[in-house]
Amino acid sequence: MTKIALLGAGGKMGVRLSTNLQGSRFSVDHVEVSEAGRERLRNATGAECVGLDKALGQADVVLMAVPDRLIGKIAHEIIGKVRPNTALIVLDAAAPFAGEMPDRKDVTFFVTHPCHPPIFNDETDPVAKNDFFGGIHAKQHIVCALMQGPEEHYALCEEIAREIYKPVMRAHRCTVEDIAILEPALSETVGITLCLAMREAVDDVVRRGVPRQAAMDFMLGHINIGLSIAFEAFPEGKFSDGALYAIAQAKPQIFREGWLDRVFNKDAVLKSVQEICNA
């Protein structure tokens, strides 16, 4: 049986992963440094923790459910304690892409991250419809990258990724650079920033006298249809001539020319992940 050492098992993400690994074909040693975390894990899953050295000494896979900024630091601390041919799975591409991972050629590095449940989906169960993060009830896609290591480790690590993020639909094979472009650049630098900009716009029209609920309902409804047209979930849908005119007038007012290259060029992505790792 494949043995997993789950580091950070008592954290918020660690408890999610531990819960999803229950009943799988994998044997899990849970590692958590804080007493509060061990208690949280025990209450949520019934699992007891083991010592770090014991878990690492018998692990086939080390699953690092630790904060992004600590991935590189902890990887360097543990790398001498794992056996050759061990696979280290990290849940974010920032540290790997920033060059924060230790130099050991006989160990596999694998990166995986959830896409989170898509806006346009076929969920009908209310609990699934309200699982916005994913990994509990709602189906989601994931991304995976084999940074280094033998090809056979890709299949093993993807299987584990599908377990910890389940229920999973598509698992996209990417490079580490691809995933770094997806997060933070695409999802946070652009996507979440624009989400917050839309909320700021709603708050501003409310300040100008529009009833708050009317503004919220109007914006959320228009986001829904706007995204469905823009991302071709509603292929027969079209923006009106008036909307197209407003868009053409608004883009140069809101976006500076060349903004896509400033966000997505390799140097910008590298700078972003380095700042995340050294926040």
Side-chain angles (χ1 to χ4, degrees):
M1 180 178 288
T2 300
K3 174 78 77 170
I4 297 174
L6 175 55
L7 310 190
K12 186 176 182 180
M13 194 65 187
V15 170
R16 283 176 175 269
L17 272 51
S18 179
T19 300
N20 281 355
L21 284 167
Q22 288 183 319
S24 72
R25 74 174 185 89
F26 302 105
S27 173
V28 182
D29 281 337
H30 300 82
V31 179
E32 172 57 50
V33 296
S34 75
E35 181 55 43
R38 290 192 289 269
E39 183 67 19
R40 185 185 305 114
L41 178 69
R42 189 180 302 116
N43 291 339
T45 69
E48 296 292 341
C49 291
V50 303
L52 175 63
D53 289 350
K54 178 181 178 181
L56 294 176
Q58 57 190 14
D60 301 300
V61 176
V62 178
L63 182 53
M64 300 181 65
V66 299
D68 300 347
R69 68 184 186 281
L70 297 180
I71 288 174
K73 177 178 182 291
I74 293 173
H76 277 273
E77 291 173 354
I78 68 171
I79 197 65
K81 300 179 180 181
V82 301
R83 299 178 298 174
N85 208 39
T86 299
L88 268 66
I89 299 179
V90 300
L91 309 183
D92 189 270
F97 190 61
E100 297 281 331
M101 301 302 287
D103 183 13
R104 183 169 167 185
K105 297 297 188 293
D106 64 346
V107 170
T108 292
F109 295 145
F110 184 89
V111 181
T112 184
H113 199 80
C115 297
H116 303 299
I119 290 177
F120 306 114
N121 58 66
D122 60 358
E123 303 290 0
T124 57
D125 187 336
V127 295
K129 289 177 71 69
N130 287 289
D131 178 14
F132 299 108
F133 189 89
I136 303 175
H137 301 287
K139 299 185 290 294
Q140 63 180 337
H141 310 295
I142 62 174
V143 292
C144 302
L146 182 65
M147 182 176 180
Q148 70 173 45
E151 182 61 26
E152 58 265 25
H153 272 179
Y154 183 88
L156 170 64
C157 293
E158 184 193 301
E159 182 184 357
I160 293 171
R162 284 181 173 274
E163 286 288 342
I164 63 177
Y165 294 135
K166 66 185 179 185
V168 169
M169 296 178 284
R170 290 188 290 268
H172 300 282
R173 183 164 186 171
C174 300
T175 66
V176 173
E177 182 176 352
D178 291 339
I179 299 179
I181 290 172
L182 292 171
E183 182 163 312
L186 180 64
S187 61
E188 295 172 342
T189 306
V190 176
I192 302 303
T193 300
L194 293 180
C195 289
L196 292 176
M198 288 188 287
R199 176 55 194 264
E200 289 175 10
V202 168
D203 291 342
D204 194 73
V205 301
V206 170
R207 182 181 65 81
R208 295 170 189 275
V210 177
R212 174 168 293 277
Q213 194 60 60
M216 293 285 284
D217 290 345
F218 206 80
M219 177 62 102
L220 292 175
H222 280 75
I223 289 172
N224 186 48
I225 191 169
L227 288 175
S228 74
I229 295 172
F231 286 88
E232 301 174 344
F234 178 32
E236 63 270 32
K238 293 182 179 180
F239 293 117
S240 68
D241 290 342
L244 291 172
Y245 177 81
I247 293 164
Q249 298 304 305
K251 285 187 73 173
Q253 298 297 319
I254 298 173
F255 299 100
R256 288 190 296 148
E257 185 177 351
W259 72 273
L260 286 166
D261 185 61
R262 284 193 296 274
V263 170
F264 292 117
N265 75 73
K266 186 172 182 176
D267 289 342
V269 174
L270 182 59
K271 181 176 184 290
S272 181
V273 297
Q274 287 173 335
E275 289 172 349
I276 288 170
C277 293
N278 297 284

